[in-house]
């Protein structure tokens, strides 16, 4: 099933659609949520003009068809889907961060940071983005723009996070060479601490041999739906860490037939309450893997508050 041409008004979502096309065979879950994000944002941009309505309806039909034909729990269960997307985005981010800190600057690093930023964007389909994820999202986008600008001007980028706000603010403000929205310099540009941030270690994501030959950046290709697989995405699927000093977050699996038990505290809880509590517990578990007790306690407290009062703090 093919989509109609993307209306000019919806140009802002074209690279999410391209990323989806590139992942159709590599990772259908990533492809599904990239298109879902594109749909939600496209409707916010324009859902009234005839051409945009036609495109949105076709994209909705496409997503419904994929959901019916794919029995992946990551597509049918929001909690599992969020874990899948977080893990994938963080692995792409880890590859770019490792290469950057090792001062191996090339188009693959720019592309990987840029793709990680887009994948972090898609996590908003699951609700409000955590502070750490949002910080890493802004960092990835800024790093992509910064390294790309340096390579274009024949300059050597500075590896890793930059702590001098004046310098990095000037760099981020300078011209938007890649075309995405630049983060606010006042927020600072360093990866978030805790389970959403990775430290340098062995690369877990290996680019293909031809990936550095050409870098397809936003604005270079006007046809979002006809892209050949692999031309706009990271050249290979991230693999699980082999020698990392800290384990990667584990994907969580839940039984879709599960029903909430009766609450002994007399609070009327529904399935959504229990699933949200499970999310908090998942975040706490991930934080414990990185010895981040503060984040773990915060999320466990939120889960307990939700289960005992029915209110999300």
């Amino acid at each position: 099933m093919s989509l109609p041409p993307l209306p000019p008004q919806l140009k802002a979502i074209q690279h999410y659609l391209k990323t989806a096309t590139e992942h159709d065979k590599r990772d259908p879950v990533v492809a599904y949520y990239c298109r879902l994000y594109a749909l939600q944002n496209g409707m916010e941009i324009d859902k009234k003009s005839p051409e945009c309505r036609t495109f949105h309806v076709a994209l909705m039909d496409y997503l419904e068809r994929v959901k019916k034909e794919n029995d992946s729990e990551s597509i049918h269960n929001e909690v599992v889907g969020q874990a899948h997307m977080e893990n994938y985005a963080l692995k792409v981010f880890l590859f770019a961060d490792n290469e950057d800190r090792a001062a191996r600057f090339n188009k693959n690093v720019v592309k990987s940071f840029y793709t990680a930023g887009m994948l972090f964007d898609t996590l908003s389909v699951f609700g409000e983005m955590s502070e750490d994820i949002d910080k890493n999202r802004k960092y990835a986008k800024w790093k992509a723009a910064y390294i790309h600008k340096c390579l274009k001007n024949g300059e050597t980028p500075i590896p890793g996070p930059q702590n001098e706000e004046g310098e990095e603010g000037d760099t981020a403000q300078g011209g938007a060479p890649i075309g995405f929205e630049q983060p606010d310099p006042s927020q600072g540009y360093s990866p978030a601490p805790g389970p959403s941030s990775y430290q340098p270690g062995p690369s877990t994501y290996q680019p293909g041999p031809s990936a550095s030959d050409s870098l397809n950046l936003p604005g270079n290709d006007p046809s979002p739906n006809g892209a050949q697989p692999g031309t706009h995405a990271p050249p290979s699927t991230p693999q699980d860490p082999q020698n990392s000093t800290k384990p990667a977050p584990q994907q969580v699996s839940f039984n879709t037939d599960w029903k909430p038990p009766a609450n002994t505290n007399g609070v009327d809880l529904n399935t959504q309450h229990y699933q949200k509590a499970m999310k908090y517990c998942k975040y706490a578990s991930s934080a414990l893997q990185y010895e981040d007790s503060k984040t773990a306690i915060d999320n466990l407290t939120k889960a307990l508050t939700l289960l005992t009062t029915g209110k999300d703090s």
Side-chain angles (χ1 to χ4, degrees):
M1 180 178 178
S2 60
L3 296 173
L6 185 71
Q9 305 95 300
L10 303 180
K11 182 180 179 181
I13 67 172
Q14 72 174 13
H15 283 272
Y16 300 96
L17 295 172
K18 286 181 180 180
T19 301
T21 299
E22 293 142 13
H23 284 81
D24 276 332
K25 293 183 178 179
R26 182 186 307 167
D27 193 319
V29 175
V30 172
Y32 176 83
Y33 285 111
C34 283
R35 288 193 177 95
L36 180 59
Y37 176 85
L39 173 64
Q40 292 181 356
N41 280 265
M43 293 185 70
E44 290 181 3
I45 295 171
D46 185 348
K47 61 181 179 181
K48 295 183 179 180
S49 64
E51 62 271 26
C52 288
R53 279 207 310 269
T54 299
F55 183 84
H56 293 324
V57 170
L59 184 52
M60 282 189 282
D61 291 342
Y62 188 98
L63 290 171
E64 283 300 316
R65 178 178 172 181
V66 170
K67 196 168 185 178
K68 289 179 180 178
E69 295 178 353
N70 194 315
D71 59 359
S72 171
E73 190 175 9
S74 294
I75 290 179
H76 292 272
N77 187 309
E78 180 185 278
V79 177
V80 183
Q82 182 175 6
H84 183 104
M85 291 299 292
E86 283 185 3
N87 289 341
Y88 189 94
L90 288 168
K91 286 175 185 176
V92 177
F93 179 82
L94 170 61
F95 165 76
D97 190 47
N98 285 340
E99 294 295 287
D100 171 48
R101 291 172 189 255
R104 292 189 288 265
F105 302 113
N106 52 50
K107 294 177 180 179
N108 288 326
V109 178
V110 176
K111 188 63 189 177
S112 297
F113 267 129
Y114 177 68
T115 302
M118 287 198 302
L119 292 172
F120 285 135
D121 283 340
T122 67
L123 292 172
S124 65
V125 305
F126 302 105
E128 185 177 357
M129 195 178 298
S130 72
E131 182 178 348
D132 284 351
I133 289 292
D134 186 49
K135 191 171 185 180
N136 282 345
R137 177 181 69 89
K138 292 178 180 178
Y139 178 78
K141 291 187 176 187
W142 168 72
K143 262 293 182 179
Y146 168 65
I147 297 174
H148 177 70
K149 182 181 179 182
C150 288
L151 294 178
K152 183 179 179 181
N153 295 337
E155 302 170 357
T156 301
I158 300 174
Q162 297 180 25
N163 297 320
E164 296 297 328
E165 286 192 14
E167 178 181 353
E168 62 194 24
D170 293 340
T171 303
Q173 290 284 344
I178 293 186
F180 50 66
E181 180 182 355
Q182 300 291 356
D184 181 359
S186 66
Q187 299 299 318
Y189 300 106
S190 60
S196 296
S197 177
Y198 289 94
Q199 298 302 317
S203 295
T204 63
Y205 167 83
Q206 297 299 323
S210 62
S212 61
D213 295 341
S214 63
L215 181 63
N216 295 295
L217 298 175
N220 291 352
D221 185 352
S223 56
N225 302 317
Q228 295 299 317
T231 57
H232 296 279
S236 63
T237 304
Q239 302 298 318
D240 292 332
Q242 299 297 320
N243 301 310
S244 178
T245 56
K246 292 184 179 181
Q250 299 297 311
Q251 180 166 314
V252 183
S253 179
F254 298 104
N255 183 354
T256 54
D257 295 328
W258 172 84
K259 301 296 182 183
N263 188 280
T264 56
N265 294 323
V267 179
D268 186 17
L269 300 177
N270 55 34
T271 301
Q272 285 70 34
H273 286 117
Y274 284 94
Q275 288 185 340
K276 191 63 178 289
M278 284 191 287
K279 279 188 184 181
Y280 287 135
C281 291
K282 175 177 72 70
Y283 297 151
S285 176
S286 179
L288 289 172
Q289 293 183 39
Y290 292 86
E291 300 179 0
D292 183 358
S293 60
K294 181 179 182 300
T295 300
I297 292 171
D298 180 57
N299 282 286
L300 288 173
T301 301
K302 289 180 179 179
L304 288 172
T305 301
L306 180 61
L307 293 173
T308 54
T309 67
K311 297 180 181 179
D312 192 6
S313 59

